[in-house]
Amino acid sequence: MASKRILKKEINFLGSELINECFAYQQFHTDAPAEKIEEIANKILQKRNELVARLNLPTSEMTRADIKAYFKKINEEFIDSIKYLDELAALK
């Protein structure tokens, strides 16, 4: 299991890369609706904030197996956030 610090850095990095992808898409596809692109960017920010907030929850009352499952679920949701690129590609 990765440490919380490393997982937070990865979440922040992926969030910023996805946001940059939204703005790059907006620059190269001027005919795409800007409101939809901003909506997708807001979803990305909300998901990033949610995951970081869940990482900060205290886990002292949890067993070792519960903690491992908890962080594994957060990591899976983090990886699933790539789906926002599919939403972006569907704007054509």
Side-chain angles (χ1 to χ4, degrees):
M1 182 179 84
S3 69
K4 285 184 182 183
R5 181 177 56 97
I6 293 172
L7 196 52
K8 282 181 193 178
K9 283 183 179 184
E10 289 177 357
I11 289 171
N12 286 327
F13 175 76
L14 181 64
S16 65
E17 287 296 314
L18 291 174
I19 298 265
N20 287 337
E21 189 66 32
C22 287
F23 292 129
Y25 186 87
Q26 189 174 17
Q27 290 293 318
F28 292 115
H29 298 89
T30 56
D31 57 333
E35 301 83 30
K36 294 286 186 179
I37 295 172
E38 289 176 13
E39 181 181 321
I40 293 170
N42 285 334
K43 285 181 188 178
I44 293 168
L45 283 174
Q46 289 173 354
K47 187 65 165 178
R48 185 195 68 84
N49 291 341
E50 173 195 338
L51 290 174
V52 170
R54 286 177 43 203
L55 275 173
N56 290 330
L57 290 178
T59 55
S60 58
E61 293 86 30
M62 301 171 92
T63 64
R64 186 173 178 90
D66 291 341
I67 292 171
K68 191 170 187 173
Y70 179 73
F71 286 113
K72 185 175 181 180
K73 184 176 182 203
I74 291 174
N75 197 20
E76 288 171 358
E77 287 184 35
F78 160 65
I79 293 170
D80 287 341
S81 64
I82 301 296
K83 69 182 177 191
Y84 295 115
L85 288 178
D86 295 334
E87 289 183 33
L88 196 61
L91 290 178
K92 293 181 181 181

